[in-house]
Amino acid sequence: MTEHDFSPKPYTNSIEKGKVTWESPSNIALVKYWGKKKDQIPENPSISFTLNECKTITTLTFTKKESNKDFSFEVYLDGNKKDDFKPKIQTFFERIESYLPFLRDYHFKIETKNTFPHSSGIASSASGMSALALCLMSIEKQLISGMSEEFFNQKASFLARLGSGSACRSIEGDLIVWGKTDSIEGSTDLFGVKYPYKIHQNFKNYQDTILLVDKGEKQVSSTVGHNLMHNHPFAQNRFQQAHNNLEKLKPIFESGDLNAFVKLVESEALTLHAMMMTSMPYFILMKPNTLEIINKIWRFRQDSGLHICFTLDAGANVHILYPENEATQILEFIKRELVVYCQNGHYICDQIGFGAKKID
Ligand code: DP6
């Protein structure tokens, strides 16, 4: 497929107004996307678990307008007008306009809310952009007869990617690959696809407890961070490593080798942060408590023999990943020893989910 497959033929149906709601989850990458080319094409492939509890719920109300000169929209978060969200959505609309020619024909009211606390330091761009892309696809579906579910999901992921790269991995679950890589058939830079091979029972219902170490605004946005991979001295090796790690994950997922999984996932998280520390300008997003947590996890893993591991996004919060059948002991350990490192004792218990849902 190419991007041209997402430019629609002239619409056959016409609608005056309507309303559509989607809820879409966040996701947590195991192999990280860090570095991109023009048009949100990733420099390397990535893979993520789709989450279940951390999601954005977006209602899009649309009304046909007189002139189709400009985009017209208003945005609300938790019922309050959010004009500071507008530039990001304006840019998103500009990027996707040629794939959704109806965008200038309607006025849109975008009402959105998150299930996770606002400014928890959890990125809402993946869930937020995917929810909006899905709402827009629901409109297009009414304008064209006979759109297949497969195409709907592919195009929703394709559009979400143009809003925020990692958002393309939030449409479906439970394990999503984005970025062309030889070891994964059907993988593409254009949109996220379901991981197509066998997944051992050990990875079903995998748990993710998110420790909120620092809820403040990120000191460096992901977009700036991605750009620092241009001319980064270790970039080419890093990109190759991501391909290799995806290939290594295949036998791990098939055999259920949790020890190998733990090593690969933690190495990916630390490599992501190593890229930030070795870029120019350089920066550190981990906080002292992030390191305290990592050290405690390592000690507990050694003492207990349980398969607890961590991963990190571009921030200080820690995602603790573990298999469902070890959940009782691990959660006890988290509450006993790790919650003290969270800001105001806040953490979120999540697990693998199966993707976005339309709400009627
Ligand atoms: C560290 O998807 O937020 O979470 O495409 O610029 O919106 P943009 O970046 P974004 O980057 C996410 C980076 C990451 C790793 C990952 O999720 O793969």
Side-chain angles (χ1 to χ4, degrees), residues 191-239:
F191 49 84
V193 299
K194 278 189 181 209
Y195 177 76
Y197 306 114
K198 203 177 147 224
I199 306 170
H200 191 276
Q201 195 59 30
N202 283 352
F203 295 105
K204 301 278 170 188
N205 243 352
Y206 224 70
Q207 306 289 302
D208 179 5
T209 300
I210 308 162
L211 303 185
L212 305 178
V213 172
D214 182 31
K215 304 194 212 166
E217 275 283 302
K218 274 200 263 180
Q219 84 203 60
V220 182
S221 75
S222 297
T223 307
V224 170
H226 286 292
N227 284 334
L228 293 175
M229 289 304 280
H230 298 306
N231 304 319
H232 189 293
F234 307 135
Q236 292 316 317
N237 284 336
R238 161 60 198 153
F239 301 147

Side-chain angles (χ1 to χ4, degrees), residues 27-29 31-34 36 40 46-47 88 123 125-126 161 163-167 169 178 218 222-224 226 272 276 312-314:
N27 66 70
I28 180 68
V31 173
K32 309 286 180 181
Y33 148 56
W34 199 242
K36 60 179 161 183
Q40 301 277 101
S46 57
I47 187 166
K88 192 150 194 201
S125 66
R161 187 200 95 224
S164 177
S166 56
R169 298 187 312 236
W178 168 42
K218 274 200 263 180
S222 297
T223 307
V224 170
H226 286 292
L272 168 71
M276 301 173 193
L312 307 165
D313 265 345

